[in-house]
Amino acid sequence: MMKALFLCLVLAALPAFGEYQDTPLAPIALYTQFQQTPPPVVFKALQDEVGSIMAPSGLHFSWIAQTAASGSEDLVELAVITFSGKCDIVDLDPHRSVSGPLGWTHISNGVILPFAEVDCQGIRGFIQKQLRIISADDREEAYGRAIGRVVAHELYHIFANTTRHGSSGVGKSKYTVQDLLSARFQFEARESLALKTSKAHAALEWAAIGR
Ligand SMILES: [Zn+2]
């Protein structure tokens, strides 16, 4: 039996459909705050995975450590991501798989806010049995990719401005260990379209044209 977790609440909402033009976009500023600094390999893998998952929608990101934020960044669109718990793969327990929420996005009075939290330790605990089976050389990268998939899920809620979920792929509401560790995991066409036709996407297009 596969284990699955709820990433966040499922509520009814429909994406707005519009026309998508293939304009290079301005980057989205992603402010990050880590409770524990991740190893460079983990951080690079998570950034690469977010970039790869979001590439079909045209969204790309400028990662800024919150402590290094100058306040003068280009703020067309932004999100703040807080990573909690241990973000490394030291002392994995091969006998335990821990279930719990992996990530969530804040909503206030029905409005989706650009603030997401990703539970590094929760993701670690959920996949640690299978992570141990992966060769030591590839383990940090696999863990970073798994975190990146949870980040991409929350960014979808924020930038598609929707609480709805897909039936499969990165936009679905529950992930299995296999989803987090498989070689490839992407959005379905519907979620990708919701990102392409979002207000955020249009604002980033206009910002790019104005440069
Ligand atoms: Zn969700």
Side-chain angles (χ1 to χ4, degrees):
M1 201 174 102
M2 298 229 267
K3 293 205 173 184
L5 295 177
F6 281 103
L7 284 162
C8 53
L9 288 172
V10 185
L11 298 169
L14 286 171
F17 287 87
E19 200 164 299
Y20 171 58
Q21 292 176 330
D22 200 5
T23 312
L25 303 183
I28 292 172
L30 277 191
Y31 292 92
T32 57
Q33 185 168 36
F34 286 91
Q35 192 174 352
Q36 184 208 60
T37 304
V41 172
V42 172
F43 191 37
K44 168 110 180 22
L46 97 80
Q47 289 175 300
D48 288 350
E49 184 66 4
V50 171
S52 157
I53 291 171
M54 291 297 190
S57 66
L59 300 181
H60 62 114
F61 303 92
S62 177
W63 297 75
I64 305 161
Q66 211 165 30
T67 49
S70 67
S72 62
E73 291 86 5
D74 191 352
L75 300 178
V76 180
E77 292 290 336
L78 68 92
V80 178
I81 308 170
T82 304
F83 296 85
S84 58
K86 279 167 72 81
C87 285
D88 63 24
I89 54 165
V90 177
D91 296 331
L92 297 175
D93 182 346
H95 305 296
R96 265 181 92 216
S97 177
V98 185
S99 297
L102 304 177
W104 53 94
T105 292
H106 293 271
I107 299 178
S108 176
N109 293 327
V111 177
I112 297 170
L113 304 177
F115 296 96
E117 295 188 29
V118 171
D119 188 348
C120 280
Q121 188 139 352
I123 297 167
R124 222 186 95 113
F126 185 46
I127 63 175
Q128 61 186 354
K129 269 164 85 170
Q130 290 79 0
L131 259 186
R132 290 265 305 186
I133 299 165
I134 294 171
S135 76
D137 286 349
D138 299 331
R139 213 173 283 157
E140 280 193 327
E141 202 176 313
Y143 174 50
R145 256 198 329 265
I147 300 172
R149 290 170 185 185
V150 177
V151 171
H153 179 99
E154 302 310 332
L155 293 178
Y156 154 73
H157 283 306
I158 292 170
F159 295 111
N161 190 31
T162 180
T163 52
R164 75 170 291 279
H165 287 102
S167 53
S168 65
V170 177
K172 69 180 184 172
S173 62
K174 299 175 191 176
Y175 284 2
T176 63
V177 171
Q178 176 64 22
D179 290 332
L180 289 170
L181 291 178
S182 61
R184 196 179 142 80
F185 194 48
Q186 294 279 304
F187 282 113
E188 279 190 311
R190 188 168 171 171
E191 285 72 53
S192 210
L193 185 64
L195 285 166
K196 285 176 189 169
T197 54
S198 64
K199 280 186 185 169
H201 199 288
L204 292 160
E205 275 180 50
W206 278 109
I209 292 165
R211 282 181 179 190

